[in-house]
Amino acid sequence: RFDCMTGLHNRASFDESLRQEIARANRTTDCFALLRIDLNGFEGAGQQHHNDLDDRVGPEIGRRIRAGIRSSDIAARLGGDAFAVLAPRARNNQELAALAERLLAQLAAPLQVGGNALDFDIGIGIALYPNDGRYGDQLLERAELDVHRSRRSPSHNWQFHDDGMQDRAVRQAMVTEQL
């Protein structure tokens, strides 16, 4: 149920929680959000710092993510540098923007490992149910697209899903396939 490195939920546990949240939202017509977080450099940090990742960096990242979310939210390590937060009963975009900002604030501070400060390139994408997808895979995919878009934004490292971006990505994939 839990990722041994960070103490957060693992991918299987997160996928089950996501399925349950979709079912609950369908019954109640509530909305929820899925935040996809990428911490570039997290996975390779252990090799660079004599495997202190397992002992110090992983648990600290888990602690920081938990400190940035609400008690009703579910945080998970999906694998590698990828994390996610399931935010049930999201009331509005301002609440989700505040959640993304809290996560950024928690994760942006350098981690001290072996006398070295570790910084991660952080990107957060936000997809809303049901507007951005009705299935878990759709929500994850769309939030991941927004992670990449967030890294190109000069103003902040998080983005809400943009259907126009999804359309451009599909067109680009079609052109690439035709070539």
Side-chain angles (χ1 to χ4, degrees):
R1 281 203 54 86
F2 294 95
D3 175 65
C4 62
M5 193 176 297
T6 62
L8 300 174
H9 287 267
N10 64 21
R11 177 65 185 252
S13 175
F14 183 81
D15 287 346
E16 180 57 30
S17 295
L18 181 56
R19 280 191 293 278
Q20 290 173 3
E21 186 59 25
I22 289 171
R24 189 200 61 75
N26 284 332
R27 287 191 309 275
T28 63
T29 66
D30 280 348
C31 295
F32 70 88
L34 188 151
L35 288 78
R36 174 77 159 62
I37 306 164
D38 270 10
L39 294 179
N40 280 353
F42 173 76
E43 190 173 37
Q47 291 84 20
Q48 294 173 5
H49 296 282
H50 310 292
N51 292 320
D52 279 345
L53 177 68
D54 292 338
D55 299 333
R56 296 173 43 200
V57 177
E60 178 62 14
I61 291 296
R63 186 199 65 73
R64 289 180 182 200
I65 289 174
R66 283 189 299 277
I69 64 175
R70 306 171 304 175
S71 61
S72 59
D73 297 339
I74 296 168
R77 180 171 180 232
L78 302 179
D81 296 346
F83 297 81
V85 172
L86 186 59
R89 295 178 183 91
R91 290 191 291 266
N92 55 52
N93 286 356
Q94 291 80 14
E95 181 182 339
L96 292 168
L99 174 59
E101 288 292 337
R102 283 193 312 273
L103 286 164
L104 279 173
Q106 288 290 328
L107 295 168
L111 280 150
Q112 297 297 322
V113 176
N116 297 310
L118 295 179
D119 289 310
F120 302 105
D121 178 24
I122 305 163
I124 301 175
I126 306 169
L128 304 172
Y129 178 90
N131 298 0
D132 299 328
R134 299 197 58 82
Y135 305 101
D137 290 345
Q138 284 177 321
L139 292 169
L140 280 164
E141 175 186 300
R142 291 175 180 166
E144 185 172 357
L145 283 172
D146 296 323
V147 165
H148 301 295
R149 189 167 63 104
S150 75
R151 290 204 169 101
R152 292 192 303 264
S153 171
S155 58
H156 47 68
N157 292 16
W158 58 268
Q159 292 288 326
F160 284 100
H161 179 68
D162 173 5
D163 280 328
M165 184 176 176
Q166 173 73 17
D167 294 342
R168 287 186 297 278
V170 168
R171 282 194 303 272
Q172 183 178 355
M174 289 172 58
V175 168
T176 301
E177 187 176 305
Q178 290 173 355
L179 294 175

